[in-house]
Amino acid sequence: MAQSDLLYPENPRRRQQVNRLQQQLLDCLADSFHATNKLIGVLNMHLGCRLDFIEMKRNGTIKENCDIIIHAMINIQKELQKVDEALKDKLEPTLYRKLQDIKEKETEKIAIVQKVISVILGEATSAASAVAVKLVGSNVTSGIINKLVAVLAQIGASLLGSIGVAVLGLGIDMIFRAILGAVEKTQLQAAIKSYEKHLMEFKSASQKYHHAITEVTKTVRQQMK
């Protein structure tokens, strides 16, 4: 048993908590990078976007990596906003309202978009129409992406933000020391509670984001058969 554990008998339990939480954080970060790149690939291929793919900085901090994802998501939202504005401009008001109506069938929405997608993109494909419907006529941009951006910003601004990704991967003792170096020992328990709260929100938002992107890619594959 370490000397610090004799002085602070709760440390072993806290190490276990930190070990579990740091693995969740790394998994969620990796999933968010993967899902974002998948979405970027779909947008570049089917909506004619020129978005850059992103890569996790293994030697960067949590904040730096959160900022990379946030920046990519903001650029994605800008591109989708352009498509939304173009659809609003080219479609009759009644047809545009149908795109926003959750009660309308997805097949009907795709047919509506396909009427004008060639004017917007220069070509008409059912896959492009499906992507536009899935992303513009849904809560992916207004709800899911916004939520994930907000959670990432909170994590970047928290105690976690200053910790390096490489440190997280080195094991329990290194991350434990990193936290101890940033806070008083008496504050460690509160720090871990904050850690848990942020990660719970991050995990939930990340899962919804990943599921939404999976649904988009599945729909695109169906349209291309």
Side-chain angles (χ1 to χ4, degrees):
M1 181 181 289
Q3 185 176 1
S4 62
D5 292 347
L6 293 173
L7 296 173
Y8 304 97
E10 288 296 302
N11 279 1
R13 180 181 63 80
R14 289 168 185 165
R15 281 193 178 90
Q16 290 179 353
Q17 283 180 284
V18 170
N19 183 48
R20 174 174 55 83
L21 295 170
Q22 64 97 358
Q23 189 57 55
Q24 287 182 21
L25 178 60
L26 287 176
D27 289 346
C28 284
L29 272 176
D31 285 347
S32 294
F33 271 90
H34 176 71
T36 301
N37 279 331
K38 186 185 290 188
L39 178 55
I40 286 171
V42 168
L43 294 176
N44 287 350
M45 178 177 291
H46 298 290
L47 294 188
C49 301
R50 296 182 179 180
L51 295 162
D52 294 326
F53 290 99
I54 57 176
E55 184 176 355
M56 184 183 287
K57 292 179 67 173
R58 296 293 175 178
N59 293 321
T61 63
I62 296 301
K63 183 180 187 308
E64 287 174 323
N65 281 286
C66 287
D67 287 345
I68 290 172
I69 301 174
I70 289 171
H71 181 71
M73 288 182 170
I74 289 173
N75 286 337
I76 287 170
Q77 287 178 311
K78 287 178 180 177
E79 292 297 322
L80 294 176
Q81 183 63 34
K82 290 178 185 176
V83 175
D84 185 32
E85 289 172 356
L87 288 172
K88 190 174 184 178
D89 180 60
K90 302 299 179 185
L91 288 170
E92 294 179 4
T94 53
L95 291 178
Y96 179 77
R97 282 195 295 272
K98 283 187 176 183
L99 292 181
Q100 312 302 317
D101 189 348
I102 59 173
K103 295 179 181 178
E104 283 290 331
K105 293 181 179 179
E106 197 167 88
T107 52
E108 293 295 325
K109 290 183 179 183
I110 291 173
I112 290 171
V113 171
Q114 202 156 5
K115 295 177 185 296
V116 296
I117 200 73
S118 61
V119 179
I120 298 171
L121 302 179
E123 60 178 342
T125 67
S126 56
S129 301
V131 172
V133 167
K134 276 289 187 180
L135 295 174
V136 177
S138 71
N139 73 333
V140 172
T141 53
S142 61
I144 295 174
I145 290 181
N146 281 347
K147 176 62 176 176
L148 188 52
V149 166
V151 173
L152 287 166
Q154 289 173 2
I155 291 175
S158 72
L159 170 67
L160 302 176
S162 61
I163 298 173
V165 170
V167 170
L168 287 180
L170 290 177
I172 304 172
D173 287 337
M174 289 300 292
I175 179 64
F176 194 65
R177 288 173 194 157
I179 292 178
L180 283 176
V183 299
E184 295 292 332
K185 292 179 176 64
T186 54
Q187 294 177 303
L188 182 58
Q189 192 168 13
I192 290 176
K193 285 183 179 180
S194 174
Y195 198 167
E196 286 185 311
K197 176 180 178 293
H198 287 310
L199 280 172
M200 186 182 300
E201 293 176 346
F202 187 18
K203 189 174 183 179
S204 174
S206 178
Q207 287 174 341
K208 289 177 182 177
Y209 177 61
H210 201 281
H211 177 72
I213 305 314
T214 299
E215 285 296 307
V216 171
T217 55
K218 185 169 70 175
T219 301
V220 168
R221 285 196 298 270
Q222 291 171 347
Q223 293 295 324
M224 295 179 71
K225 287 181 179 179

